[in-house]
Every structure is written in C-alpha cells, then in structure tokens.
Amino acid sequence: MIKSIHSSAPVRASQPPATRATCAPLQRCAPCRPRHHSRLAAAYVPVPPTQQPAVVPKTGAANHAGGPVVSADITWHEGGVPSQQKEELLGQRGCVLWFTGLSGSGKSTVAATLEHTLHGLGCATALLDGDNVRHGLNRDLGFSAADREENIRRIGEVAKLFADAGVITLVSFISPYRQDRDRARALLAPGRFLEVFMDTPLEVCEQRDPKGLYKKARAGQIKGFTGIDDPYEAPEHAEVALPARDASGRPYQPQEHAASLLRMLVQRNFVSADVLDHVHPNMNGHGATISDATINGAYVQRSPSPAAR
C-alpha cells in the first residue's frame, strides 16, 4: 500500500506477477515499468488540456518579427494519445522550467545539475540549451532583436511539445526580452511554465566570464552583447529567483539550487513526493541533500500575478 500525497487515504499499488523478476528501485525496464509508475500515480493530478488557439488566417510572407503565416486551410489535429495518458505512463507531469539570466549567471550549470538529479530518480527529462540549439535548429539565426525573438519563439514551441508529452523540460536561454518569455509562457496551460531567474549581478558574471565573451564585448569585438550594449530585462514575476550568494556572502553551489528546484517540482505535483527519499549526497556527482534550510535559503519562490501567468 502507498499513500497519496493529496490524501491520507491509502492507494493500492498494482502487484507484479509472481513469476516476474524485480528490478532495482527507480529503474524502469519495460517489464517493470507499470509497477514503478504505480508508485508515482498518487502524485498525478489531471489538468485540463491546453486550449489550442483559434486558427487566424494571415496573408503575406513569413517573417521572424511577425511570426509564421497560418493558412486558413490548416487545422489542428489532436493526437491519438492524450497528454494525460502520457503523463500517467511516465508517472510525472510535464512542465517547462525556463532558466533565464545573463551569460555566466549559471543557467546551464544548474539546469544540467537538476537534469542529472531527476534522471537518477527515474524522471523523463529534456534539456534545451541556448548554445546547443544554435548549432542545429536555430543555426540560421543571428543576434539582432528580430532573430533573438525568433530564437525564443522556436524554442518555446519545442519546449511545449516536450511538456505536452509529459516530459520535464529544462530550457536554458539568456532570453533577454521579457515579452518573448511571456509569449513562451502563454503557450502552456497555467502553472506549467516555471520561470527560473538566475539572479546573478553583472559584475559577478563578468568575473566568471567562462567563455571570455565579456572581455571581447568590452574590447568591442562583439556587438549587441546582452548586459554590455544590449539590454537584459529581468523577470518581474518569476516563479523562482536563484541568487548567486546567501546573506553571508557565501556562493551557492549548483547542487543546492538543483535541490531547491527539485523540492519545488514536488510541491507543485510535477514529481512524486517519495522521490525525495532517494536523494542523497553525491548521487551521480550531482545530487544534494534536501532540507528546509536549503529550500528556504537557496531560492525565493514567488507567486506571479494572474496577468503575468
């Protein structure tokens, strides 16, 4: 018997056939998958499917700033397997954690650390990194305002596809413009888009400068660099703000921020609460213990206004 995290009433887990071998906890081999996702079923909370936008006929050529042309002859087709059933199979709920912040703020490091932790706990994840995406899908885009907007539009649509499939999707993009991030948020059902602001001051990012880009920007070798000669619009209603240092000035470690975000995913019912029982120090080199002190100190959780969501 297991207990639902939403109720004190016990929930009966399905029993495996007596002749079936048992794999290690949190492993999801094909024969044992139904048994393992029954462990997470208590955490699943159905959410109404996202309302698909009405098709509005447009004319004229496609362009980055105005978005793609939608023909009146194109209609939306629902898939054969609803998102809810995909989530039930995975034993988790799909969502998008959108990491935003200056270059060198720690977006990719924290996102990768969290993904390693979730993977070790048996969760299905996808990590979409800004630099990596520009090597393929967005290789045709530069860094003009219009190209930056199209960069975020494309990745927002890709992230939505992953989330609709029940995958916990981590997006690590500078995404400097508030309006572009809000458009990405609007693609998902309320509560499914979690904006994670890496609240690292410019001077700290410049000191880190892991790719040497700030040095080049200061020397005039790079034009339109965010934070130097191109603006960064900090979130006003992010769900989470991750500071670079605590009140005493001690730098936060990526594992601490990842642990905080994992607890948030549990609190918002994207991941089953019992995964916290399996988090331990140095798990795959990326895990971290989770305590109330860590959760309360490592991030500030915010409640966005209805308009911002």
Side-chain angles (χ1 to χ4, degrees), residues 151-205:
N151 186 44
I152 299 307
R153 188 196 70 80
R154 291 184 192 178
I155 205 62
E157 294 285 357
V158 172
K160 179 184 182 298
L161 292 174
F162 276 111
D164 286 348
V167 175
I168 298 172
T169 310
L170 314 177
V171 177
S172 174
F173 276 62
I174 293 175
S175 43
Y177 305 139
R178 195 175 297 124
Q179 184 180 45
D180 294 343
R181 299 193 301 268
D182 289 344
R183 286 172 179 163
R185 177 190 291 275
L187 293 173
L188 284 90
R192 297 279 185 151
F193 184 98
L194 307 172
E195 191 171 29
V196 181
F197 174 37
M198 300 302 299
D199 192 5
T200 306
L202 174 61
E203 56 269 22
V204 175
C205 294

Side-chain angles (χ1 to χ4, degrees), residues 116-121 262 278-288:
H116 276 282
T117 301
L118 288 168
H119 179 76
L121 295 170
L262 176 59
H278 301 277
V279 177
H280 58 84
N282 300 319
M283 183 187 63
N284 294 331
H286 295 276

Side-chain angles (χ1 to χ4, degrees), residues 64-65 134 140-152 176-177 180 223-226 229-231:
H64 291 170
R134 281 185 176 272
D140 59 318
L141 299 178
F143 292 91
S144 67
D147 279 2
R148 287 175 185 266
E149 178 181 342
E150 174 64 7
N151 186 44
I152 299 307
Y177 305 139
D180 294 343
K223 300 296 183 183
F225 190 75
T226 302
D229 55 355
D230 203 71

Side-chain angles (χ1 to χ4, degrees), residues 28-40:
R28 295 185 179 186
C29 61
C32 295
R33 187 177 294 117
R35 200 161 69 255
H36 289 310
H37 85 248
S38 71
R39 169 181 63 84
L40 299 172

Side-chain angles (χ1 to χ4, degrees), residues 50-195:
T50 305
Q51 292 290 331
Q52 296 300 333
V55 176
V56 180
K58 298 182 181 179
T59 58
N63 61 82
H64 291 170
V69 172
V70 179
S71 168
D73 298 323
I74 297 175
T75 58
W76 179 268
H77 292 276
E78 291 293 343
V81 181
S83 294
Q84 177 179 333
Q85 293 183 16
K86 296 176 182 179
E87 291 180 332
E88 290 173 337
L89 177 66
L90 294 172
Q92 62 185 47
R93 292 173 58 217
C95 64
V96 172
L97 283 84
W98 192 284
F99 292 80
T100 178
L102 293 169
S103 177
S105 61
K107 301 180 300 299
S108 296
T109 301
V110 174
T113 302
L114 176 60
E115 185 184 36
H116 276 282
T117 301
L118 288 168
H119 179 76
L121 295 170
C123 298
T125 62
L127 175 57
L128 305 174
D129 181 81
D131 282 357
N132 293 350
V133 170
R134 281 185 176 272
H135 276 82
L137 176 65
N138 293 350
R139 67 188 305 170
D140 59 318
L141 299 178
F143 292 91
S144 67
D147 279 2
R148 287 175 185 266
E149 178 181 342
E150 174 64 7
N151 186 44
I152 299 307
R153 188 196 70 80
R154 291 184 192 178
I155 205 62
E157 294 285 357
V158 172
K160 179 184 182 298
L161 292 174
F162 276 111
D164 286 348
V167 175
I168 298 172
T169 310
L170 314 177
V171 177
S172 174
F173 276 62
I174 293 175
S175 43
Y177 305 139
R178 195 175 297 124
Q179 184 180 45
D180 294 343
R181 299 193 301 268
D182 289 344
R183 286 172 179 163
R185 177 190 291 275
L187 293 173
L188 284 90
R192 297 279 185 151
F193 184 98
L194 307 172
E195 191 171 29

Side-chain angles (χ1 to χ4, degrees), residues 208-217 222:
R208 295 174 178 175
D209 201 10
K211 303 172 186 176
L213 299 178
Y214 284 101
K215 184 178 180 180
K216 290 182 178 180
I222 298 178

